């Protein structure tokens, strides 16, 4: 049978839709959060980051929301395109003095034309 | 330019072999990292180098030996690996080891241990 964790959560959307990818983080002391995009066969690519003194940050077509009360992070992608298809990871910095990134489990985004 | 390069792209090795992975960046970054990523899993931190000194070792087995010859280069020496060490090995760098600096990743070396 299947083992838990072998399949990534998947979000399927149509081209042009807005996408929302969610992430729960574990360490209430984490003060820096990043979203990465990883395409097949490539390394993670930085999308956007946010510090714990903010609750929203916008980039080009992307917005990150941070809710420290419930330890929740979300990535919103506007007007999703087929090129946005990838696995998206949130990461939190749990290090003190150094960067020690802990990645979430990831979400696969599939965009249909 | 935010490029981190890694060589080789693919590597197949036997359990008795010794091999090395290489990572290079020319962005003037002073912190460099090694991660291991298994299929369908997130990257997991292995080592952190800060100003060419090993700062964090996440309890990695001694068959993995990192080396930072200069501020632009990071190596990972492999010896007597096990099949379960097969994974994508990612290198990353950031401008400084500060807690809120952006890490930029290379494309990775896909390692298969037979």
């Amino acid at each position: 049978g299947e083992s838990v964790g072998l399949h990534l959560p998947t979000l399927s959307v149509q081209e042009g839709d807005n996408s929302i990818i969610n992430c729960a983080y574990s360490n209430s002391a984490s003060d820096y959060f990043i979203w990465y995009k990883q395409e097949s066969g490539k390394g993670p690519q930085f999308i956007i980051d946010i510090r714990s003194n903010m609750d929203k940050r916008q980039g080009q077509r992307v917005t990150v929301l941070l809710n420290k009360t419930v330890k929740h992070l979300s990535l919103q992608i506007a007007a999703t395109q087929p090129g946005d298809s990838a696995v998206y990871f949130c990461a939190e910095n749990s290090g003190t003095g150094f960067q020690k990134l802990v990645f979430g489990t990831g979400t696969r985004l599939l965009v249909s034309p | 330019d935010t490029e981190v390069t890694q060589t080789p792209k693919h590597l197949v090795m036997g359990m008795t072999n010794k091999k090395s992975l290489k990572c290079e960046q020319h962005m003037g970054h002073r912190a460099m990292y090694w991660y291991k990523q298994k299929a369908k899993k997130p990257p997991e931190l292995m080592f952190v180098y800060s100003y060419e000194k090993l700062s964090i070792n996440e309890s990695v087995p001694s068959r993995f030996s990192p080396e930072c010859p200069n501020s632009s280069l990071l190596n990972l020496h492999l010896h007597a690996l096990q099949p379960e060490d097969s994974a994508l090995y990612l290198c990353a760098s950031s401008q400084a080891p500060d807690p809120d600096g952006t890490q930029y990743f290379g494309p990775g070396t896909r390692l298969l241990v037979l």
Side-chain angles (χ1 to χ4, degrees):
Chain A
E2 289 184 1
S3 299
V4 173
L6 280 184
H7 294 278
L8 287 168
T10 299
L11 174 64
S12 296
V13 301
Q14 293 285 116
E15 182 177 2
D17 287 351
N18 295 331
S19 303
I20 299 176
I21 300 171
N22 296 303
C23 175
Y25 64 91
S26 56
N27 188 344
S28 57
S30 293
D31 54 8
Y32 178 59
F33 305 88
I34 315 102
W35 280 100
Y36 284 96
K37 171 187 180 184
Q38 188 172 25
E39 296 175 273
S40 182
K42 297 185 179 180
Q45 176 189 354
F46 171 84
I47 302 173
I48 192 167
D49 59 3
I50 189 167
R51 288 163 178 75
S52 58
N53 61 353
M54 304 171 71
D55 52 21
K56 180 178 180 178
R57 189 160 189 231
Q58 288 185 289
Q60 189 176 12
R61 283 202 305 120
V62 294
T63 301
V64 55
L65 299 177
L66 174 62
N67 185 331
K68 293 182 288 293
T69 304
V70 295
K71 294 191 285 186
H72 183 267
L73 201 62
S74 69
L75 176 70
Q76 300 178 1
I77 305 174
T80 316
Q81 302 166 1
D84 295 326
S85 295
V87 177
Y88 289 80
F89 292 102
C90 66
E92 60 182 299
N93 180 48
S94 63
T96 305
F98 291 99
Q99 273 199 33
K100 189 171 171 178
L101 289 186
V102 175
F103 283 76
T105 52
T107 296
R108 183 180 304 280
L109 177 65
L110 292 175
V111 183
S112 307
Chain B
D1 182 15
T2 55
E3 189 176 28
V4 176
T5 59
Q6 290 187 244
T7 54
K9 198 173 170 90
H10 301 276
L11 180 62
V12 180
M13 60 186 290
M15 289 188 282
T16 57
N17 291 159
K18 283 186 184 181
K19 297 285 184 184
S20 296
L21 310 185
K22 181 178 170 181
C23 173
E24 197 163 2
Q25 56 86 14
H26 294 288
M27 297 177 278
H29 288 177
R30 303 310 302 270
M32 296 183 78
Y33 311 80
W34 280 116
Y35 288 83
K36 175 182 178 179
Q37 186 177 24
K38 301 282 277 184
K40 299 189 191 298
K41 295 288 189 180
E44 292 180 343
L45 183 65
M46 300 173 72
F47 302 104
V48 178
Y49 271 83
S50 171
Y51 297 95
E52 293 112 72
K53 288 187 171 28
L54 183 63
S55 301
I56 296 178
N57 176 341
E58 289 288 276
S59 303
V60 179
S62 59
R63 58 186 184 269
F64 295 91
S65 174
E67 179 199 18
C68 191
N70 60 56
S71 60
S72 300
L73 273 177
L74 187 66
N75 298 320
L76 186 62
H77 303 297
L78 314 172
H79 174 54
L81 294 195
Q82 303 295 310
E84 60 264 28
D85 296 321
S86 299
L88 181 68
Y89 287 85
L90 293 161
C91 173
S93 71
S94 64
Q95 189 165 20
D98 294 344
D100 58 354
T102 303
Q103 285 188 31
Y104 296 95
F105 283 81
T109 292
R110 192 162 296 281
L111 174 67
L112 177 62
V113 182
L114 300 177

